[in-house]
Amino acid sequence: MFDLHGKTALITGAGQGVGAGVARVLAAQGAGVAVNDIDKDRAEETAQAIREAGGTAYALPFDVTDLDAVLDAVRGFERKAAPVDVLVNNAGNAGAGAFRPTPFRQSDPADWRRFTEVNLFGVMNCAKAVLDGMAARGHGRIVTIASGSGVIGQAIGVSLYAAAKGGAIAFMRHLAIENAADGITANTIALGLIDPAASGREANHTREMAARLPVGRIGVPDDPAALCAYLASDEASWITGQTLHLNGGSYTS
Ligand SMILES: NC(=O)c1ccc[n+]([C@@H]2O[C@H](COP(=O)([O-])OP(=O)(O)OC[C@H]3O[C@@H](n4cnc5c(N)ncnc54)[C@H](O)[C@@H]3O)[C@@H](O)[C@H]2O)c1
């Protein structure tokens, strides 16, 4: 895969599921990783597992929706450890089975804000924390894990989630344009269904869902992690502002 030695990557929401997979794979490629999660114990667990496998990892718990907390944590980490070369915005309040699908007409307005806070503002807060440093160094990689639902309408009851993910996709496109001249790339992964077992959730109906996908299987965290390793690499300097659909072959446009 791609050589990430000498790079430092911050992965948000990496205490379990997709984020933990991304942290593990980036560390295996040689990156030092800052493992963020709102849940301190989970962040430490992922970091510990990476260290036991011979990698370099630090737990960096904070809530991505709290800008002051994000700025404090990232500044402290950069002072004590290393500048962040790669940011993977993975923290989100939804993966398969993470919430009960609710049509918009039945939705609680408090949830409109809740979905937007983590899936869109969380991305902005973390980008804000790393961008000035990346621009000063003339190099940076930002990857956001969004969802196919941010681009296409398919499932019923995910409009709040889709709106926030769609906002993140649009934000990332413009981040790419604004920062390309400073050597910073910004790309988004519009992710399809990942095995809920990776997040400790029940794997209901996954066999039927897998059968509907051209490749015949649902995803595992290593699938988005491999794409993150590429997007984080020096070789990926000519890809920016893109939304890459990673979903086992579902038609998306
Ligand atoms: N799993 C899927 O099928 C799937 C599909 C499409 C997109 N995604 C996206 O991929 C990302 C990861 O999904 P997952 O299924 O691994 O999720 P998950 O729920 O298993 O893990 C998310 C992690 O983020 C942490 N987190 C939540 N809010 C946070 C906050 N405010 N600050 C810091 N950490 C926070 C949680 O504690 C948790 O450990 C999410 O953005 C999700 O929307 C997942």
Side-chain angles (χ1 to χ4, degrees), residues 187-214:
N187 292 290
T188 305
I189 300 176
L191 193 60
L193 179 66
I194 298 297
D195 189 348
S199 301
R201 288 192 277 271
E202 255 184 77
N204 292 331
H205 312 299
T206 48
R207 196 181 293 232
E208 295 94 300
M209 288 174 185
R212 274 189 243 130
L213 294 175

mmCIF file of all heavy atoms in Angstrom, residues 187-214:
data_model
loop_
_atom_site.group_PDB
_atom_site.id
_atom_site.type_symbol
_atom_site.label_atom_id
_atom_site.label_comp_id
_atom_site.label_asym_id
_atom_site.label_seq_id
_atom_site.Cartn_x
_atom_site.Cartn_y
_atom_site.Cartn_z
ATOM 1 N N ASN A 187 -10.898 15.576 0.093
ATOM 2 C CA ASN A 187 -11.748 14.623 -0.640
ATOM 3 C C ASN A 187 -12.739 13.963 0.319
ATOM 4 O O ASN A 187 -12.511 13.911 1.533
ATOM 5 C CB ASN A 187 -10.879 13.547 -1.293
ATOM 6 C CG ASN A 187 -10.024 14.100 -2.415
ATOM 7 O OD1 ASN A 187 -10.536 14.463 -3.470
ATOM 8 N ND2 ASN A 187 -8.726 14.203 -2.185
ATOM 9 N N THR A 188 -13.799 13.447 -0.271
ATOM 10 C CA THR A 188 -14.858 12.841 0.535
ATOM 11 C C THR A 188 -15.132 11.428 0.060
ATOM 12 O O THR A 188 -15.149 11.165 -1.149
ATOM 13 C CB THR A 188 -16.153 13.675 0.399
ATOM 14 O OG1 THR A 188 -15.846 15.021 0.739
ATOM 15 C CG2 THR A 188 -17.245 13.167 1.318
ATOM 16 N N ILE A 189 -15.352 10.544 1.013
ATOM 17 C CA ILE A 189 -15.764 9.182 0.684
ATOM 18 C C ILE A 189 -17.264 9.072 0.967
ATOM 19 O O ILE A 189 -17.701 9.249 2.110
ATOM 20 C CB ILE A 189 -14.987 8.135 1.503
ATOM 21 C CG1 ILE A 189 -13.481 8.265 1.208
ATOM 22 C CG2 ILE A 189 -15.484 6.726 1.185
ATOM 23 C CD1 ILE A 189 -12.582 7.339 2.035
ATOM 24 N N ALA A 190 -18.036 8.833 -0.089
ATOM 25 C CA ALA A 190 -19.476 8.602 0.078
ATOM 26 C C ALA A 190 -19.639 7.101 0.278
ATOM 27 O O ALA A 190 -19.633 6.313 -0.669
ATOM 28 C CB ALA A 190 -20.232 9.083 -1.159
ATOM 29 N N LEU A 191 -19.741 6.744 1.542
ATOM 30 C CA LEU A 191 -19.618 5.340 1.929
ATOM 31 C C LEU A 191 -20.952 4.609 1.872
ATOM 32 O O LEU A 191 -21.995 5.175 2.188
ATOM 33 C CB LEU A 191 -19.042 5.304 3.356
ATOM 34 C CG LEU A 191 -18.540 3.976 3.899
ATOM 35 C CD1 LEU A 191 -17.404 3.439 3.031
ATOM 36 C CD2 LEU A 191 -18.024 4.156 5.329
ATOM 37 N N GLY A 192 -20.882 3.358 1.480
ATOM 38 C CA GLY A 192 -22.052 2.479 1.526
ATOM 39 C C GLY A 192 -22.031 1.658 2.810
ATOM 40 O O GLY A 192 -21.256 1.933 3.741
ATOM 41 N N LEU A 193 -22.839 0.612 2.822
ATOM 42 C CA LEU A 193 -23.050 -0.152 4.062
ATOM 43 C C LEU A 193 -21.799 -0.915 4.506
ATOM 44 O O LEU A 193 -21.238 -1.717 3.769
ATOM 45 C CB LEU A 193 -24.194 -1.148 3.854
ATOM 46 C CG LEU A 193 -24.499 -2.028 5.070
ATOM 47 C CD1 LEU A 193 -25.033 -1.190 6.227
ATOM 48 C CD2 LEU A 193 -25.496 -3.122 4.694
ATOM 49 N N ILE A 194 -21.411 -0.637 5.757
ATOM 50 C CA ILE A 194 -20.290 -1.348 6.392
ATOM 51 C C ILE A 194 -20.873 -2.311 7.425
ATOM 52 O O ILE A 194 -21.850 -1.991 8.109
ATOM 53 C CB ILE A 194 -19.341 -0.333 7.072
ATOM 54 C CG1 ILE A 194 -18.734 0.622 6.039
ATOM 55 C CG2 ILE A 194 -18.241 -1.032 7.866
ATOM 56 C CD1 ILE A 194 -17.857 -0.017 4.977
ATOM 57 N N ASP A 195 -20.245 -3.444 7.559
ATOM 58 C CA ASP A 195 -20.716 -4.473 8.488
ATOM 59 C C ASP A 195 -20.959 -3.877 9.883
ATOM 60 O O ASP A 195 -20.012 -3.412 10.529
ATOM 61 C CB ASP A 195 -19.655 -5.580 8.573
ATOM 62 C CG ASP A 195 -20.145 -6.784 9.348
ATOM 63 O OD1 ASP A 195 -21.202 -6.672 10.015
ATOM 64 O OD2 ASP A 195 -19.465 -7.823 9.291
ATOM 65 N N PRO A 196 -22.212 -3.881 10.356
ATOM 66 C CA PRO A 196 -22.516 -3.292 11.670
ATOM 67 C C PRO A 196 -21.756 -3.971 12.806
ATOM 68 O O PRO A 196 -21.544 -3.364 13.862
ATOM 69 C CB PRO A 196 -24.025 -3.514 11.836
ATOM 70 C CG PRO A 196 -24.542 -3.883 10.490
ATOM 71 C CD PRO A 196 -23.396 -4.443 9.701
ATOM 72 N N ALA A 197 -21.342 -5.208 12.598
ATOM 73 C CA ALA A 197 -20.604 -5.918 13.651
ATOM 74 C C ALA A 197 -19.319 -5.169 14.004
ATOM 75 O O ALA A 197 -18.845 -5.229 15.149
ATOM 76 C CB ALA A 197 -20.288 -7.339 13.197
ATOM 77 N N ALA A 198 -18.759 -4.430 13.040
ATOM 78 C CA ALA A 198 -17.532 -3.665 13.299
ATOM 79 C C ALA A 198 -17.777 -2.567 14.326
ATOM 80 O O ALA A 198 -16.840 -2.050 14.930
ATOM 81 C CB ALA A 198 -17.008 -3.049 12.001
ATOM 82 N N SER A 199 -19.049 -2.205 14.497
ATOM 83 C CA SER A 199 -19.409 -1.172 15.467
ATOM 84 C C SER A 199 -20.155 -1.774 16.655
ATOM 85 O O SER A 199 -20.823 -1.059 17.403
ATOM 86 C CB SER A 199 -20.297 -0.107 14.798
ATOM 87 O OG SER A 199 -19.610 0.475 13.726
ATOM 88 N N GLY A 200 -20.075 -3.104 16.776
ATOM 89 C CA GLY A 200 -20.722 -3.778 17.884
ATOM 90 C C GLY A 200 -22.234 -3.766 17.796
ATOM 91 O O GLY A 200 -22.925 -3.919 18.795
ATOM 92 N N ARG A 201 -22.764 -3.574 16.569
ATOM 93 C CA ARG A 201 -24.219 -3.546 16.418
ATOM 94 C C ARG A 201 -24.711 -4.831 15.774
ATOM 95 O O ARG A 201 -23.951 -5.529 15.095
ATOM 96 C CB ARG A 201 -24.642 -2.349 15.552
ATOM 97 C CG ARG A 201 -24.498 -1.033 16.267
ATOM 98 C CD ARG A 201 -25.185 0.082 15.517
ATOM 99 N NE ARG A 201 -24.376 0.620 14.459
ATOM 100 C CZ ARG A 201 -23.517 1.618 14.607
ATOM 101 N NH1 ARG A 201 -23.362 2.188 15.784
ATOM 102 N NH2 ARG A 201 -22.806 2.056 13.605
ATOM 103 N N GLU A 202 -25.989 -5.103 15.966
ATOM 104 C CA GLU A 202 -26.573 -6.320 15.405
ATOM 105 C C GLU A 202 -26.567 -6.274 13.885
ATOM 106 O O GLU A 202 -26.886 -5.241 13.293
ATOM 107 C CB GLU A 202 -28.021 -6.456 15.876
ATOM 108 C CG GLU A 202 -28.187 -7.512 16.944
ATOM 109 C CD GLU A 202 -29.635 -7.665 17.301
ATOM 110 O OE1 GLU A 202 -30.355 -8.303 16.516
ATOM 111 O OE2 GLU A 202 -30.016 -7.116 18.343
ATOM 112 N N ALA A 203 -26.221 -7.401 13.276
ATOM 113 C CA ALA A 203 -26.120 -7.445 11.815
ATOM 114 C C ALA A 203 -27.429 -7.953 11.203
ATOM 115 O O ALA A 203 -27.446 -8.957 10.505
ATOM 116 C CB ALA A 203 -24.943 -8.315 11.417
ATOM 117 N N ASN A 204 -28.539 -7.235 11.448
ATOM 118 C CA ASN A 204 -29.831 -7.634 10.873
ATOM 119 C C ASN A 204 -29.869 -7.382 9.373
ATOM 120 O O ASN A 204 -29.430 -6.340 8.917
ATOM 121 C CB ASN A 204 -30.973 -6.811 11.504
ATOM 122 C CG ASN A 204 -31.149 -7.188 12.951
ATOM 123 O OD1 ASN A 204 -30.869 -8.316 13.333
ATOM 124 N ND2 ASN A 204 -31.569 -6.225 13.764
ATOM 125 N N HIS A 205 -30.422 -8.280 8.628
ATOM 126 C CA HIS A 205 -30.681 -8.110 7.184
ATOM 127 C C HIS A 205 -29.432 -7.883 6.333
ATOM 128 O O HIS A 205 -29.538 -7.497 5.189
ATOM 129 C CB HIS A 205 -31.649 -6.942 6.916
ATOM 130 C CG HIS A 205 -32.871 -6.969 7.770
ATOM 131 N ND1 HIS A 205 -33.762 -8.028 7.732
ATOM 132 C CD2 HIS A 205 -33.343 -6.100 8.685
ATOM 133 C CE1 HIS A 205 -34.736 -7.792 8.598
ATOM 134 N NE2 HIS A 205 -34.507 -6.641 9.202
ATOM 135 N N THR A 206 -28.245 -8.076 6.888
ATOM 136 C CA THR A 206 -27.061 -7.755 6.086
ATOM 137 C C THR A 206 -26.878 -8.730 4.926
ATOM 138 O O THR A 206 -26.349 -8.370 3.889
ATOM 139 C CB THR A 206 -25.780 -7.732 6.948
ATOM 140 O OG1 THR A 206 -25.764 -8.898 7.744
ATOM 141 C CG2 THR A 206 -25.705 -6.510 7.810
ATOM 142 N N ARG A 207 -27.361 -9.979 5.114
ATOM 143 C CA ARG A 207 -27.223 -10.947 4.026
ATOM 144 C C ARG A 207 -28.045 -10.508 2.804
ATOM 145 O O ARG A 207 -27.560 -10.504 1.679
ATOM 146 C CB ARG A 207 -27.706 -12.322 4.503
ATOM 147 C CG ARG A 207 -27.244 -13.450 3.603
ATOM 148 C CD ARG A 207 -27.773 -14.757 4.121
ATOM 149 N NE ARG A 207 -27.171 -15.094 5.403
ATOM 150 C CZ ARG A 207 -26.600 -16.258 5.656
ATOM 151 N NH1 ARG A 207 -26.548 -17.178 4.729
ATOM 152 N NH2 ARG A 207 -26.085 -16.523 6.828
ATOM 153 N N GLU A 208 -29.289 -10.064 3.060
ATOM 154 C CA GLU A 208 -30.140 -9.577 1.954
ATOM 155 C C GLU A 208 -29.512 -8.329 1.323
ATOM 156 O O GLU A 208 -29.519 -8.163 0.112
ATOM 157 C CB GLU A 208 -31.539 -9.197 2.459
ATOM 158 C CG GLU A 208 -32.360 -10.350 2.989
ATOM 159 C CD GLU A 208 -32.204 -10.479 4.512
ATOM 160 O OE1 GLU A 208 -31.062 -10.677 4.988
ATOM 161 O OE2 GLU A 208 -33.232 -10.407 5.212
ATOM 162 N N MET A 209 -28.969 -7.467 2.159
ATOM 163 C CA MET A 209 -28.368 -6.232 1.619
ATOM 164 C C MET A 209 -27.158 -6.574 0.762
ATOM 165 O O MET A 209 -26.945 -5.985 -0.295
ATOM 166 C CB MET A 209 -27.957 -5.300 2.758
ATOM 167 C CG MET A 209 -29.147 -4.670 3.452
ATOM 168 S SD MET A 209 -28.577 -3.744 4.878
ATOM 169 C CE MET A 209 -30.123 -3.234 5.597
ATOM 170 N N ALA A 210 -26.350 -7.529 1.221
ATOM 171 C CA ALA A 210 -25.168 -7.930 0.462
ATOM 172 C C ALA A 210 -25.575 -8.497 -0.888
ATOM 173 O O ALA A 210 -24.938 -8.213 -1.913
ATOM 174 C CB ALA A 210 -24.370 -8.965 1.251
ATOM 175 N N ALA A 211 -26.660 -9.263 -0.906
ATOM 176 C CA ALA A 211 -27.096 -9.902 -2.147
ATOM 177 C C ALA A 211 -27.509 -8.858 -3.187
ATOM 178 O O ALA A 211 -27.435 -9.098 -4.387
ATOM 179 C CB ALA A 211 -28.260 -10.849 -1.858
ATOM 180 N N ARG A 212 -27.912 -7.670 -2.721
ATOM 181 C CA ARG A 212 -28.330 -6.608 -3.655
ATOM 182 C C ARG A 212 -27.140 -5.860 -4.244
ATOM 183 O O ARG A 212 -27.293 -5.079 -5.167
ATOM 184 C CB ARG A 212 -29.243 -5.606 -2.928
ATOM 185 C CG ARG A 212 -30.689 -6.059 -2.933
ATOM 186 C CD ARG A 212 -31.593 -4.955 -2.420
ATOM 187 N NE ARG A 212 -32.245 -5.394 -1.201
ATOM 188 C CZ ARG A 212 -32.306 -4.718 -0.066
ATOM 189 N NH1 ARG A 212 -31.758 -3.532 0.024
ATOM 190 N NH2 ARG A 212 -32.917 -5.206 0.974
ATOM 191 N N LEU A 213 -25.955 -6.063 -3.690
ATOM 192 C CA LEU A 213 -24.779 -5.333 -4.188
ATOM 193 C C LEU A 213 -24.069 -6.131 -5.274
ATOM 194 O O LEU A 213 -23.913 -7.352 -5.135
ATOM 195 C CB LEU A 213 -23.792 -5.083 -3.046
ATOM 196 C CG LEU A 213 -24.284 -4.150 -1.939
ATOM 197 C CD1 LEU A 213 -23.252 -4.095 -0.813
ATOM 198 C CD2 LEU A 213 -24.536 -2.754 -2.491
ATOM 199 N N PRO A 214 -23.609 -5.468 -6.334
ATOM 200 C CA PRO A 214 -22.904 -6.190 -7.400
ATOM 201 C C PRO A 214 -21.756 -7.062 -6.898
ATOM 202 O O PRO A 214 -21.565 -8.172 -7.387
ATOM 203 C CB PRO A 214 -22.409 -5.060 -8.320
ATOM 204 C CG PRO A 214 -23.443 -3.997 -8.146
ATOM 205 C CD PRO A 214 -23.845 -4.058 -6.693
#
